Amino acid sequence: MKSLCNHTKNIILTILLALAVTIVGCKKEYKSLTVQQSLLTDVEKLEQKINDFQAVAEQETEQEKLHQAFTNARMAYKKMEWAVEYFCPDPARFINGPALDELEVAENKFLPPNGFQVIEELIYPKYDLQNKADLVREIKMIKANLNQVRQTFTVITISDDYVLDALKMQVNRILALGITGFDSPIALQSIPETETSLIALGNSISILEYKDEVSKKLVELCSEAAKYCRSNYDFNAFERVHFIKNFLNPISSNLIAFQQKNKIKAIDKNSVVNPNVITIFEKDAFDVNAFTPSKEYKYTPEKVALGKQLFNDNSFSKEKSRSCASCHNPEMAFTDNLKTNTSLKGGNLSRNTPTLTYASLQNAQFWDMRQLDLEKQSSDVIQNKEEMHGNLSSIAAFLSKDEAYNKLFMNAFPKSKKVEEWHVQNALASYVRSLNAFDSKFDTYMRGESNDFTTQEKLGFNVFAGKGKCATCHFIPLFNGTVPPKFNKTEHEIIGTPEHKNNLKISSDMGRYVQHEMPQLKNAFKTPTLRNVALTAPYMHNGVFSTLEEVIDFYNKGGGVGSGITVENQTLPSDELNLSQKEIKALIAFMNTLTDQKYLD
């Protein structure tokens, strides 16, 4: 009998042990399923708000009710934006993408915009009943794309590491797009929407069910950040410097601490941003290798040393009278301070020389974006008859015979037996990739390395990222047109730049249209970086403006259209910004903080 009882006990213990192993083993699956269930619930709630919005759009003419239904729907989307943008990028583009045509220039075709931002333009600031059919169609388009989101969320596995990566990306999205009014430029609901996004971020951390102090602190930070937004809804008055320093940066750093504490692996889905940096403002936040053509073009110190020497060598131009540094002077933030550069023969070129600092953090080169990477950019310039009129093949042959250069090339490219054309291109490009200091007054302040940031400079940043709407094109923290938080696309804009100062005729330079004859690209130019902008006058593709005051005045009026110039396809809003003199001075003071330290020493 005793033996039987022991046998029974052993069976029971075995069963209990098996159950314990099963429970522990299913822990990750359970948590992932909970995230999945939560997202599917959010989809259902959004669908209900969209249905309500459609009913209002089809039946009501009262503007207030229409605006409220729209707000309710987009707030429901903001609850799940972090996941939709990360796991379902294609439908996300047509749920809340920019209200601009999506261009596929290589195929000479475009996709018209759809979604909330298009709807915002239809119903704000004032609803015209003639837009009813378009409005209902756009709402139905959101519903169709939402169905794709549901299907995706139903079948994919959502593990903790991907959830965390998506949340880190969402913090950067809030910083660069959320609080700047990027997707609510007319309704100006960006701060309430940011509140909703932050609540969702905190809830997502809670759902993961890690019971530790870091997790608790992270949830509390999200709650406090949301509370701050709730108390400061005014878009123009919102203190963005304070918000980033005291809320978004701590949330970002605590996400990393949470990841490390719970041994959650880092996902390198977004190859541009280092997944281990505590904030997007760190010196090593961006990986220049993400912008290279392929792995063999990888950045190395040896390539930089070679590239620097090549950059300053006159031997590559036809007359042996010009180097890269002749036009991109290192002492002038790699510009020439001329309205437009001069040709080899002494005439004027048509375009202004842009800075090479931070040029490596773009997905297209030249004002007209005709080359995708720095390697092609260098060969384009070397072989251009007006600029250097060199020959890469001859240059490679010449360098291979130079003993000193040959040694540098073998150090930079140890797997190669001879100097090749692509080596020259890659070395020059690598040197340009070394010109990203990230040590300006703004950088050190945002990283917490310095408290030196004046009241005027803080006001200027708030104007830049708020009322002035500068940050909706010059995205933080690169301040160029490379779109966060993935940074895998660089934007152009049509702003209506005049041919000459104070005239009412648009520049005759057609920009991107020269390469791709699409009407949306007439007078389109790449959005350049504003880092070191205080040193890179004159401004615009044709150097038409001599000072930052003139540039701001142009934007303050509403660009070309606001200035009275006929521009058929201006992407810049043509409304006046109504910036005061105090705000303009503050804006300039802020832009001065983007100067690299070496130019201040």
Side-chain angles (χ1 to χ4, degrees), residues 28 210-212 214-215 257-264:
K28 293 296 182 186
Y210 288 93
K211 306 299 183 183
D212 56 71
V214 180
S215 174
F258 173 76
Q259 175 183 333
Q260 294 171 346
K261 171 74 174 177
N262 295 290
K263 295 180 171 58
I264 302 172

Side-chain angles (χ1 to χ4, degrees), residues 41-89:
T41 299
D42 288 340
V43 171
E44 296 301 321
K45 290 179 180 178
L46 175 55
E47 185 173 51
Q48 183 57 56
K49 296 298 182 184
I50 291 294
N51 286 334
D52 293 345
F53 185 23
Q54 183 177 340
V56 172
E58 290 176 337
Q59 300 170 15
E60 293 284 351
T61 59
E62 191 174 331
Q63 183 167 284
E64 185 176 343
K65 290 183 179 179
L66 200 63
H67 286 179
Q68 188 59 55
F70 169 78
T71 298
N72 293 342
R74 191 149 72 173
M75 287 296 186
Y77 174 72
K78 286 292 176 177
K79 281 188 66 178
M80 51 190 285
E81 179 184 49
W82 68 271
V84 178
E85 290 281 354
Y86 189 86
F87 296 108
C88 318

Side-chain angles (χ1 to χ4, degrees), residues 395-491:
I395 291 169
F398 164 76
L399 292 171
S400 65
K401 297 175 183 177
D402 185 289
E403 185 176 341
Y405 264 127
N406 202 51
K407 184 177 180 180
L408 287 171
F409 272 99
M410 292 307 103
N411 285 337
F413 302 95
K415 294 182 180 180
S416 300
K417 296 181 179 180
K418 64 176 183 177
V419 178
E420 299 181 39
E421 291 179 32
W422 75 271
H423 294 161
V424 179
Q425 295 172 265
N426 187 214
L428 284 167
S430 295
Y431 175 59
V432 176
R433 292 183 179 111
S434 74
L435 305 178
N436 309 327
F438 288 111
D439 64 356
S440 68
K441 186 177 183 179
F442 170 80
D443 293 310
T444 56
Y445 178 74
M446 297 308 286
R447 286 198 293 266
E449 297 171 2
S450 165
N451 290 319
D452 182 17
F453 217 67
T454 68
T455 301
Q456 185 184 45
E457 289 162 351
K458 291 176 184 178
L459 172 60
F461 178 77
N462 288 330
V463 172
F464 184 92
K467 183 179 178 180
K469 299 183 179 179
C470 315
T472 60
C473 296
H474 297 276
F475 302 109
I476 304 166
L478 298 181
F479 298 99
N480 64 14
T482 306
V483 186
K486 296 179 181 178
F487 300 97
N488 59 2
K489 178 182 179 182
T490 297
E491 296 278 2

Side-chain angles (χ1 to χ4, degrees), residues 231-361:
S231 302
N232 298 275
Y233 273 172
D234 188 302
F235 179 79
N236 289 341
F238 191 73
E239 291 285 346
R240 290 165 178 82
V241 175
H242 175 82
F243 185 68
I244 293 171
K245 288 269 289 181
N246 292 279
F247 295 109
L248 293 186
N249 280 354
I251 289 172
S252 179
S253 62
N254 275 275
L255 280 169
I256 296 297
F258 173 76
Q259 175 183 333
Q260 294 171 346
K261 171 74 174 177
N262 295 290
K263 295 180 171 58
I264 302 172
K265 67 179 180 179
I267 299 295
D268 197 15
K269 185 176 181 180
N270 178 8
S271 61
V272 178
V273 179
N274 182 342
N276 298 308
V277 291
I278 58 173
T279 75
I280 197 70
F281 300 104
E282 305 308 305
K283 269 196 170 188
D284 59 345
F286 293 92
D287 183 5
V288 292
N289 289 315
F291 298 88
T292 58
S294 58
K295 289 182 179 179
E296 61 265 31
Y297 291 86
K298 185 178 179 180
Y299 173 96
T300 67
E302 292 78 12
K303 290 179 181 179
V304 173
L306 169 60
K308 183 176 182 179
Q309 191 155 329
L310 294 171
F311 190 86
N312 291 281
D313 197 325
N314 289 341
S315 303
F316 310 144
S317 62
K318 187 176 182 181
E319 305 298 330
K320 300 190 184 303
S321 59
R322 175 177 285 188
S323 69
C324 302
S326 300
C327 304
H328 296 280
N329 188 333
E331 301 302 317
M332 299 176 180
F334 291 86
T335 64
D336 56 16
N337 290 158
L338 299 174
K339 182 177 180 181
T340 61
N341 200 354
T342 55
S343 70
L344 277 174
K345 297 178 181 179
N348 289 324
L349 297 175
S350 61
R351 293 175 182 167
N352 176 263
T353 301
T355 179
L356 292 184
T357 59
Y358 305 92
S360 60
L361 300 171

